[in-house]
Amino acid sequence: MKTRQIITRTLTALISVFALISVIMLLSNCGETGSKKAVSEVDSTKDLKDFYEDYFVIGVAVGPNNLEGDQAEMIKKHFNSLTAENVMKPALIHPEENRYAWDNADKIVDFAQANGMKVHGHTLCWHNQTGAWMFQDSQGNQVTKEVALARLKDHITQVVSRYKGKIYVWDVLNEAVEDRDSTKIYRETMWYKICGEEYIRKVFQWAHEADPNAVLVYNDYNTENPGKRDRIYTMLKKLLDEGVPVHVVGLQGHWNINDPTEQNLRDAIEKFSSLGLKIQITELDVSIYTSRADTIDIGFTPEREQKQIDFYKMAFDVFREKKDVITGVTFWNVSDRYSWRDRRNMKCYPLLFDENLKPKKAYWEVVKF
Ligand code: XIL
């Protein structure tokens, strides 16, 4: 009896000590890295796109100049989708009524095809970077709605048809929603002024007719701002109720180290996807400057660098969690060597690769999961 009691007590004590040690080990592990791997454990044979193979496409916006020299090699290594930063925009690909300029766009499509990459078309209808000729007659007077719509139809049909089967997803309509005024939905662009709401439905229908297999995107910025988000939602719901072929909401993702908040990012993804639409982050960059008023060049300070690391980590944690609805994440430009967000004498350092094309610390946070 006594011996059995001693054995039971010893066993109970041993089990308690073992349990305590396990809990301590678990806690110290979580405190250090959570479920994440240390940087040294990251698989060095993998590049950015490989880490996200089971999640979504990883794209980058380029011009023909990026597809030469060291950048070309680095692009092939890290990305599996290309977007034309400018050369497929209306003003560049269709500079005059009877002239299309395909060369530069073809270069991007050819490079992608030669290297097994996808192509994301950008953009069929926009109020910026569109030739003034689209809206004017030979005397310089504003054209009628019929003429404007006929030109837009020709433009979309020609461009989509040329790359049918080569461009799998198109930003059909860019930035058509009002930014601030809560009494309006649509932005007062030339298209809206001349054609009214009708053009919005039409652009998706024409793109769909030209390539029924293409995935069609509505693309905009400030999509996480609750007011603008809700206006975009209202427009998209209406389009879907009318049976208009729109498949994806493009969150441009021109963000900064403070904005959007994680909550606003989640809310936007959830709200748009509640319509049955997929999401792509189409133009991602994260500036170290938080507003236009931020005009003092402070450089890439350790403090801003850390905030950028934290922001990128937060964003990609959310993207991975939402992988069922997110189908692509595209960076807007290749590296901090050049970003469209740089201002004169003031670099914004918004990307994952530095000026020498080397992965920044933020990169390692994005691939460490
Ligand atoms: C930008 C390009 O990066 C610049 O080179 C150009 O001068 C202006 O346009 N939203 C879009 C993109 O949809 O087409 C814009 O690209 C950035 C904002």
Side-chain angles (χ1 to χ4, degrees):
M1 188 69 184
K2 236 184 161 187
T3 330
R4 209 187 287 162
Q5 258 182 358
I6 291 169
I7 292 173
T8 317
R9 278 193 194 149
T10 317
L11 269 176
T12 316
L14 275 172
I15 290 168
S16 311
V17 169
F18 184 72
L20 192 69
I21 291 171
S22 307
V23 168
I24 291 169
M25 277 174 69
L26 204 69
L27 283 177
S28 66
N29 206 13
C30 279
E32 229 173 75
T33 55
S35 59
K36 302 257 175 169
K37 294 175 183 156
V39 171
S40 57
E41 289 171 46
V42 169
D43 185 344
S44 60
T45 64
K46 285 186 174 181
D47 299 306
L48 185 55
K49 64 179 186 335
D50 311 316
F51 287 104
Y52 282 90
E53 205 176 7
D54 297 331
Y55 291 84
F56 30 73
V57 160
I58 299 281
V60 61
V62 295
N65 296 346
N66 297 120
L67 304 178
E68 290 160 10
D70 58 349
Q71 291 189 73
E73 290 317 305
M74 181 270 191
I75 287 168
K76 287 191 244 174
K77 209 164 126 68
H78 288 288
F79 303 96
N80 48 21
S81 171
L82 297 181
T83 302
E85 183 186 6
N86 286 301
V87 300
M88 290 185 193
K89 289 172 181 171
L92 287 97
I93 208 166
H94 194 177
E96 292 170 278
E97 183 161 17
N98 297 312
R99 184 165 71 89
Y100 284 88
W102 304 114
D103 280 10
N104 284 329
D106 285 354
K107 277 185 195 153
I108 292 175
V109 174
D110 292 348
F111 182 93
Q113 292 219 306
N115 294 294
M117 308 169 92
K118 290 174 179 280
V119 185
H120 186 126
H122 175 81
T123 176
L124 297 171
C125 180
W126 195 20
H127 56 277
N128 278 333
Q129 293 184 277
T130 298
W133 67 263
M134 280 255 193
F135 309 110
Q136 290 169 2
D137 64 18
S138 51
Q139 266 81 56
N141 299 317
Q142 191 172 302
V143 293
T144 61
K145 174 175 170 179
E146 287 65 37
V147 171
L149 287 178
R151 286 177 175 174
L152 191 52
K153 180 178 182 182
D154 169 69
H155 172 77
I156 291 176
T157 307
Q158 298 286 333
V159 176
V160 175
S161 302
R162 181 175 182 89
Y163 299 112
K164 188 173 175 177
K166 296 183 178 174
I167 293 189
Y168 83 107
V169 61
W170 268 107
D171 292 338
V172 176
L173 182 58
N174 207 29
E175 305 177 352
V177 168
E178 163 62 27
D179 266 327
R180 285 171 213 87
D181 186 345
S182 59
T183 65
K184 294 179 181 157
I185 293 187
Y186 303 109
R187 185 175 183 145
E188 294 272 339
T189 67
M190 278 306 278
W191 289 117
Y192 187 75
K193 276 189 211 147
I194 299 176
C195 308
E197 198 181 326
E198 195 182 332
Y199 86 97
I200 291 183
R201 189 184 329 126
K202 294 281 190 200
V203 289
F204 288 100
Q205 287 165 345
W206 292 326
H208 185 65
E209 281 162 23
D211 183 357
N213 292 323
V215 177
L216 306 183
V217 184
Y218 174 71
N219 193 46
D220 212 332
Y221 61 89
N222 280 357
T223 43
E224 306 73 34
N225 168 297
K228 189 160 178 192
R229 176 198 71 206
D230 291 352
R231 285 190 282 284
I232 294 172
Y233 175 91
T234 304
M235 177 189 78
L236 292 169
K237 177 148 191 353
K238 201 167 169 207
L239 291 173
L240 291 169
D241 287 346
E242 290 172 5
V244 175
V246 44
H247 311 121
V248 170
V249 189
L251 316 188
Q252 289 186 0
H254 294 300
W255 293 332
N256 70 59
I257 50 177
N258 285 348
D259 187 54
T261 62
E262 179 172 350
Q263 192 60 52
N264 282 352
L265 175 59
R266 282 177 183 283
D267 289 351
I269 294 171
E270 281 160 24
K271 182 137 197 176
F272 296 132
S273 59
S274 75
L275 288 167
L277 295 166
K278 298 288 188 202
I279 308 287
Q280 289 220 13
I281 315 301
T282 50
E283 307 184 12
L284 182 58
D285 48 21
V286 181
S287 175
I288 61 157
Y289 294 102
T290 55
S291 94
R292 288 233 143 249
D294 218 348
T295 52
I296 298 167
D297 182 4
I298 56 161
F300 197 49
T301 64
E303 187 223 339
R304 302 261 171 149
E305 178 182 31
Q306 188 55 49
K307 288 187 101 179
Q308 188 182 56
I309 292 169
D310 296 343
F311 187 96
Y312 264 118
K313 176 177 167 348
M314 176 281 286
F316 275 82
D317 282 350
V318 172
F319 299 162
R320 284 194 307 276
E321 188 191 308
K322 304 277 181 198
K323 72 168 188 167
D324 291 346
V325 293
I326 294 183
T327 56
V329 175
T330 288
F331 290 85
W332 206 251
N333 300 130
V334 181
S335 75
D336 289 346
R337 193 181 283 179
Y338 158 76
S339 158
W340 79 293
R341 298 186 68 177
D342 290 343
R343 299 179 232 157
R344 197 140 47 111
N345 302 327
M346 199 167 155
K347 290 186 72 64
C348 290
Y349 306 97
L351 298 158
L352 290 185
F353 299 90
D354 69 15
E355 289 159 83
N356 298 314
L357 312 181
K358 293 278 167 294
K360 291 158 64 179
K361 285 185 195 157
Y363 172 92
W364 298 111
E365 281 302 324
V366 162
V367 300
K368 198 177 70 177
F369 57 90

